Amino acid sequence: VGGGLCGLLTAYRLVEKENLRVCVVEAGEFCGGTTAHTTAKITAQHGLLYDKLMKGLGREKTWLYAQANQNAVEEYVTLIGQLGADCGLHRCSSVVYATQNESQHKLERELAACLRAGLPVHMEKQTELPFAVAGSLWMDGQACFHPLRFAQALLARLQEKGVRLFAHTEALHPRSGTRDGRVHTTRGDIQADTIVVATHFPFMDKPGFYFARVWQERSYVLALKHVPS
């Protein structure tokens, strides 16, 4: 349930590794939500996260999280090659920067946490930005790509593998008291042994009540082109 990259990649792994019969339903267009509006980066760097993880969870769990994310970067590169996807894959560094000197210490703490987690990071004073920065934290070996072109190649492979794909098919909240292994949709019911919810916000969430633990968030991307005067 959910036809973004999370849902499509889950379907791909289930078909490739487990040889299962898989069906994917999506309320709108495939990869038309979060996937279509990403910054297109593939990276283990998520802002200033690792210092917080190190303090809250300790080194071992932070290391596991870091390695899982770094491995995912390499998995994307490998899968893009296997699919032969013409999606503009480009290996590059991911950078977090500070514009004020008082924020520099946050980058230094993040650097220390990333190094403890085994991530390839280093500090620089200069960036390619057209304005001065107090410092920047670079994570090497990351990547960027065109997510929708990648999704098109992935959808084509899923169809070749016999995965049934249904766009504009909204999954409905389970009927009260039913545990019959059915996904109820606006276009009929689907019988399944296992149901994977890969929507941005969960709606089939009992007994977890995950809706009480998530919140809405919006982020922005700004593209700059420096034109000399």
Side-chain angles (χ1 to χ4, degrees):
V1 181
L5 277 188
C6 181
L8 297 183
L9 287 169
T10 299
Y12 179 80
R13 289 303 185 196
L14 291 174
V15 171
E16 287 288 308
K17 302 296 185 181
E18 305 296 335
N19 197 30
L20 298 176
R21 295 177 62 199
V22 181
C23 170
V24 183
V25 295
E26 163 59 40
E29 294 286 349
F30 285 109
C31 293
T34 301
T35 299
H37 299 91
T38 71
T39 54
K41 61 183 180 180
I42 309 172
T43 177
Q45 186 181 62
H46 312 300
L48 302 179
L49 178 66
Y50 291 97
D51 181 49
K52 296 178 182 177
L53 292 178
M54 197 68 72
K55 292 175 180 176
L57 299 177
R59 184 180 183 279
E60 181 179 359
K61 291 181 179 178
T62 302
W63 185 90
L64 289 172
Y65 177 88
Q67 296 309 306
N69 278 268
Q70 188 61 28
N71 289 342
V73 175
E74 301 306 322
E75 283 289 319
Y76 264 109
V77 175
T78 299
L79 180 54
I80 288 169
Q82 292 173 344
L83 295 175
D86 181 16
C87 58
L89 176 69
H90 175 64
R91 297 303 294 257
C92 56
S93 297
S94 178
V95 185
V96 175
Y97 63 90
T99 57
Q100 299 177 347
N101 290 328
E102 52 264 32
S103 298
Q104 178 71 9
H105 69 282
K106 295 181 180 179
L107 293 182
E108 294 170 351
R109 290 202 303 265
E110 184 72 5
L111 171 67
C114 287
L115 290 174
R116 289 190 66 195
L119 291 168
V121 293
H122 68 278
M123 293 281 285
E124 295 281 355
K125 282 290 186 181
Q126 302 296 324
T127 70
E128 297 176 358
L129 295 168
F131 51 82
V133 300
S136 57
L137 178 62
W138 294 61
M139 185 173 291
D140 302 320
Q142 309 305 292
C144 62
F145 73 150
H146 194 303
L148 293 182
R149 291 178 186 169
F150 170 72
Q152 290 170 357
L154 185 57
L155 283 166
R157 180 61 60 87
L158 290 175
Q159 288 179 315
E160 291 175 4
K161 294 291 185 178
V163 174
R164 303 186 69 183
L165 303 166
F166 296 96
H168 303 288
T169 305
E170 182 182 0
L172 306 175
H173 196 281
R175 296 166 188 167
S176 178
T178 60
R179 292 183 177 271
D180 56 1
R182 290 181 183 271
V183 177
H184 308 292
T185 80
T186 51
R187 297 174 61 188
D189 291 355
I190 301 170
Q191 182 72 42
D193 293 328
T194 302
I195 301 170
V196 177
V197 179
T199 53
H200 194 155
F201 290 97
F203 68 102
M204 301 169 67
D205 59 358
K206 293 180 180 179
F209 295 104
Y210 301 112
F211 71 89
R213 312 183 204 181
V214 299
W215 61 89
Q216 292 184 340
E217 186 174 270
R218 174 170 292 182
S219 58
Y220 301 87
V221 59
L222 178 65
L224 303 173
K225 182 177 182 180
H226 179 57
V227 180
S229 57

